[in-house]
Amino acid sequence: MSALLSKDTVRRGVAAHSAIGLVCCALLYLICVSGSAIVLYEEFQRLEQLDAPEMESIAPQAVDRAVAAVVASEAGEPPTTHLYVHMPTEALPRTTITTDTQAVHVDADGAIAAPEENAWSEFLLALHYRLNLPPVWGMTLVGMFGAMIVALGVSGVVAHPRIFRDAFRLRARRKDEVATLDWHNRLAVWTLPFALAIALTGTMIGLFYVAGFSLAASAYDGDSEAALAPVFGAEGEADPAPAPVPRVAPVLAHMARDYPAVRVSYVILHDPGTRGQHVQVIGEHHRRLVFGEYYHFAPDGSFEGTTGLADGAMGQQFAASIYNLHFGNYGGLPVKIAYIVFGVALSVVVATGTFIWLDKQARKGRPRPLVHAGWWGVTLGVPLAILATLLARLALGNGEPFVAIFWAVTLAAVGLAIAQRRPWAKRRLPPANPEYAR
């Protein structure tokens, strides 16, 4: 076969192969960097809108007034299918109401204070969650990269039998590939439990759509809601006939009386203003990994039961724990700081792994200066691009095209690095040595 191809064709094929590999590594690096940043999702929301009213709690009657005000503001519009009331929490002490068409902050008295303006935080979440692609495609791709991290972690341990014995051996003073390899191996060992936990949970979250659709197609005649009902509960039957919007105050009073240890994080009105409506509460349980339990109420405020995410089948509790375990939404600020530190370390492992491979190729007589330079552009360009979007948000406002800014800065950094045709850091290539060339 090789005899039928010219040297120029082979050279182009090798270049294309290297470019595809660089793109995969770049996306994996992007997921790790953005994941380290999105740990502070709630804190970023507060930074974006410093003047939004904040409170430790809000009276049930004030929530009723807020719901009524939001519903009244949408009079004449198509009815919303869901109305979410975000209750004040420790991480985000704000009351926010979201419908199909708007999101507003309300003050402690229940009056609408201002529209919610957190476009940058949502951009950053979408960047990590689905690479700003359509949900099904983006989340599936991110899930596949999560599986790749698991494979890289396991294969790395197998390929380096002394990796645990040398866990604290670091020759960082050397200015060559030995130091890079040591940093890569040591950080990989120190972060291995974190990397596996994050990668496994990320894979489960990312492949949610694929798994749900596959289960629905194979066992539920294509009904995805029925496939997920055994875990997250089923929606009630719809009845579009008009009805008064239910009051939230009796629901919150019931939760305070019968579940005083549960912190209400959300109140959800399903199909509000119709006879098929019902109220659902998400309650956080102290010292539990589950994101919360679903408490179900009839329109008149009578309690109908729970879904079982906190005390039901083991599979339900496991499914409800994946999100918090992945994003570090438990344990407060100390856990978030730990997630950021480990996330940055994992990003360094991905970045140095690519440099190590490129250096090995150069020692074998197959240098790739353009790819090497491009990888420097990715390594520095991704965090700079995220910072550029944040600065654009703070300087220019909520409506900026953050996706376009991010990719423009990233591609500009890569293009500038490739145009220079050399790495942005001078690195000496020592002769091959079995100690680090394995």
Side-chain angles (χ1 to χ4, degrees), residues 26-27 37 52 70 80 90 99 106 118 126 209 213 232 273 322 370 388 399 411:
L27 292 177
V70 170
T80 185
E90 182 178 356
T99 68
V106 300
N118 61 346
Y209 283 105
F213 289 149
F232 297 106
I322 290 174
L370 293 182
L411 293 176

Side-chain angles (χ1 to χ4, degrees), residues 178-384:
V178 174
T180 302
L181 185 65
D182 277 358
W183 275 115
H184 176 84
N185 289 344
R186 299 305 82 83
L187 290 176
V189 172
W190 299 338
T191 62
L192 184 60
F194 171 83
L196 291 178
I198 294 301
L200 286 170
T201 53
T203 301
M204 294 174 189
I205 295 172
L207 297 180
F208 172 80
Y209 283 105
V210 174
F213 289 149
S214 299
L215 180 61
S218 62
Y220 292 89
D221 296 326
D223 189 345
S224 56
E225 290 187 3
L228 298 176
V231 178
F232 297 106
E235 286 272 0
E237 290 194 18
D239 184 348
V245 175
R247 294 181 60 230
V248 175
V251 171
L252 295 176
H254 178 96
M255 292 297 299
R257 182 181 64 253
D258 289 14
Y259 299 95
V262 173
R263 178 74 180 260
V264 175
S265 58
Y266 275 94
V267 178
I268 307 172
L269 276 63
H270 295 259
D271 299 313
T274 70
R275 287 186 180 178
Q277 66 192 352
H278 63 282
V279 181
Q280 190 177 61
V281 168
I282 301 180
E284 298 177 351
H285 287 231
H286 184 56
R287 301 182 68 87
R288 293 291 306 278
L289 274 178
V290 294
F291 67 82
E293 175 64 277
Y294 290 148
Y295 298 83
H296 305 280
F297 294 83
D300 62 0
S302 58
F303 182 57
E304 296 183 333
T306 63
T307 298
L309 299 180
D311 57 4
M314 187 62 67
Q316 282 184 289
Q317 297 186 51
F318 177 77
S321 301
I322 290 174
Y323 186 87
N324 280 353
L325 182 60
H326 184 78
F327 288 100
N329 294 335
Y330 62 94
L333 187 59
V335 172
K336 290 190 174 187
I337 293 175
Y339 266 61
I340 293 172
V341 171
F342 285 128
V344 171
L346 184 58
S347 303
V348 173
V349 169
V350 174
T352 54
T354 305
F355 280 126
I356 291 168
W357 178 80
L358 289 169
D359 291 337
K360 285 184 178 180
Q361 294 299 304
R363 284 195 298 272
K364 293 177 180 179
R366 296 190 293 269
R368 292 175 171 84
L370 293 182
V371 176
H372 202 294
W375 185 244
W376 269 111
V378 170
T379 302
L380 300 179
V382 166
L384 286 176

Side-chain angles (χ1 to χ4, degrees), residues 24-47:
C24 291
C25 292
L27 292 177
L28 184 59
Y29 176 73
L30 168 56
I31 292 169
C32 293
V33 173
S34 59
S36 303
I38 204 59
V39 171
L40 297 176
Y41 177 62
E42 291 88 357
E43 287 76 9
F44 284 139
Q45 290 185 72
R46 299 177 72 179
L47 175 64

